Amino acid sequence: MKHRIYILVAVLGVMLLALPTVVLATESIVPREMADMTQAEWDVLRLTNIERAEEGIPLLVATDVMQEVVHIRSSDLEEVYSHTRPDGSVPWTALDEIGVVYERAAENIANGFFDAETVVEAWMNSEGHRRNILNEKLRLMGSGNSSRYWAQMFATEKDIDCVAIDLDTDHWYFTLELENGTIAYAPFDVESTPIVDGTVTFDYPGTTAISIPEEWIEEMSNPFVDVSASDYYYNPVLWALETGVTAGISDTEFAPNRICTRAEVVTFLWRAEGCPEPETAENPFTDVSSDKYYYKPVLWALEQGITAGTTETTFSSNDTCTSAHVLMFLWRANGTPEAETDNTFALTYADKYYGDAVAWADVAGFLTDTVGTGVFVPNSDGLRSHIVTYLYVNAGSPSV
């Protein structure tokens, strides 16, 4: 006699604070066909699949039937927060009510979480929940949320290998036709379904690779609505994002024309150098406290002779950095190299304190994109787009 396998795990939640993350411009949207599934519930599946992908485990898919089942359970939880249903029966009776013929099943429940990120994080930090999420023998998942109550219902049925798969590139989700005729859905996310050599493969039994046009790849690599592929700072911005030099001012905005402060510029430069530890903790600046994000960058920049303070005791972190200042910082960071003395910038600014830095920057190719016309305005405001471009060129213009 074949026995069904059941796994039950519950967690009581607390409020958790999540660090901001970069959201792809191609964020996966819950399929129109899954009308009873909320975006938060869809995101639980997306985040669960990311965890499975990191372990090399086949991904999960959602069906309208599994959603119906899990919504029954999440509603149950409002009455009785337990794996025992309000009528005293086990949770699998919800599967039986809908007519799901399953070989194995598992359930996670949670209480007290307000978004998909924190509830999945809590489940992953709990051994029993994590075991369910990473159970490679499970294939289907429903995600339900009712008030602060969350439920994950996992199941495996017969004949559910994939026979056909498609990718919706308007809302970024996969549609799978399974052997038993079931239509299933799953989110596209570069963390769980990375693009390799222009194709994406959804790791589920029976699936085949789907070719991705080059323009889609370009769109997915850029989360910022204010940065386009035609902008000279396009690659520098993506490089800065990838290397951690700087993120956007929001998930979808980079603000290329935003003015940078002295603190921001030395921080960008410090990060581009790999975040080196200052050799001393001695801090001469009364306006730079140890709890500021730029504390170590400022001390490092002072040690390296990249910049001093505006006085002996003040750094003036929030002062605007001019274009000349930015190039001076970078020139000093490179060891104050000499440059040709007969180029346009060297001759124009020979008597200025920043003359050698600007001449070097021109010869090194730093100003090709940011100036272009040959007009350099040293006292103009240093912009985020300029600064990441300088740092990108300084890093050798790596591919992104």
Side-chain angles (χ1 to χ4, degrees), residues 298-314:
V298 167
L299 295 188
W300 169 79
L302 181 64
E303 285 180 353
Q304 299 300 313
I306 293 170
T307 182
T310 53
T311 71
E312 290 185 357
T313 58
T314 57

Side-chain angles (χ1 to χ4, degrees), residues 322-359:
T322 67
S323 295
H325 290 150
V326 173
L327 292 181
M328 283 290 291
F329 291 177
L330 195 57
W331 177 63
R332 290 170 181 161
N334 279 276
T336 63
E338 294 184 2
E340 298 176 15
T341 57
D342 59 351
N343 72 64
T344 300
F345 290 111
L347 295 173
T348 302
Y349 302 112
D351 60 342
K352 304 297 184 181
Y353 72 88
Y354 49 78
D356 289 340
V358 175

Side-chain angles (χ1 to χ4, degrees), residues 261-271 276 278 283 285-302 307 314-319:
T261 64
R262 284 169 52 83
E264 289 171 333
V265 173
V266 296
T267 300
F268 291 176
L269 183 55
W270 176 71
R271 290 172 180 164
N283 175 19
F285 303 124
T286 58
D287 59 350
V288 178
S289 59
S290 59
D291 61 341
K292 300 297 184 182
Y293 72 86
Y294 49 81
Y295 176 72
K296 288 184 179 180
V298 167
L299 295 188
W300 169 79
L302 181 64
T307 182
T314 57
F315 185 75
S316 301
S317 306
N318 294 323
D319 281 7

Side-chain angles (χ1 to χ4, degrees), residues 18-19 146 148 225 228 263 288:
L19 295 175
S146 182
R148 292 184 301 165
V225 296
S228 66
V288 178

Side-chain angles (χ1 to χ4, degrees), residues 83-196:
H83 289 296
T84 300
R85 300 186 64 190
D87 63 4
S89 64
V90 294
W92 325 118
T93 57
L95 288 162
D96 298 330
E97 286 174 17
I98 306 302
V100 179
V101 179
Y102 57 98
E103 296 181 329
R104 64 177 60 232
E107 180 179 80
N108 285 344
I109 60 175
N111 176 22
F113 297 92
F114 295 91
D115 57 47
E117 288 76 12
T118 54
V119 73
V120 172
E121 179 182 6
W123 279 330
M124 287 299 295
N125 288 331
S126 169
E127 183 178 351
H129 300 87
R130 179 186 177 90
R131 190 181 305 116
N132 283 348
I133 286 174
L134 301 182
N135 187 332
E136 60 183 306
K137 294 182 179 180
L138 297 171
R139 293 285 177 265
L140 310 177
M141 194 197 91
S143 173
N145 172 230
S146 182
S147 185
R148 292 184 301 165
Y149 296 95
W150 297 80
Q152 277 184 313
M153 181 70 78
F154 306 89
T156 300
E157 301 177 30
K158 289 184 178 181
D159 302 323
I160 54 172
D161 283 5
C162 179
V163 295
I165 185 170
D166 191 24
L167 176 60
D168 184 310
T169 55
D170 290 325
H171 298 93
W172 295 101
Y173 64 82
F174 296 95
T175 302
L176 295 83
E177 181 184 348
L178 308 183
E179 285 178 301
N180 62 7
T182 299
I183 302 300
Y185 303 91
F188 169 88
D189 190 292
V190 291
E191 292 188 63
S192 59
T193 48
I195 297 169
V196 180

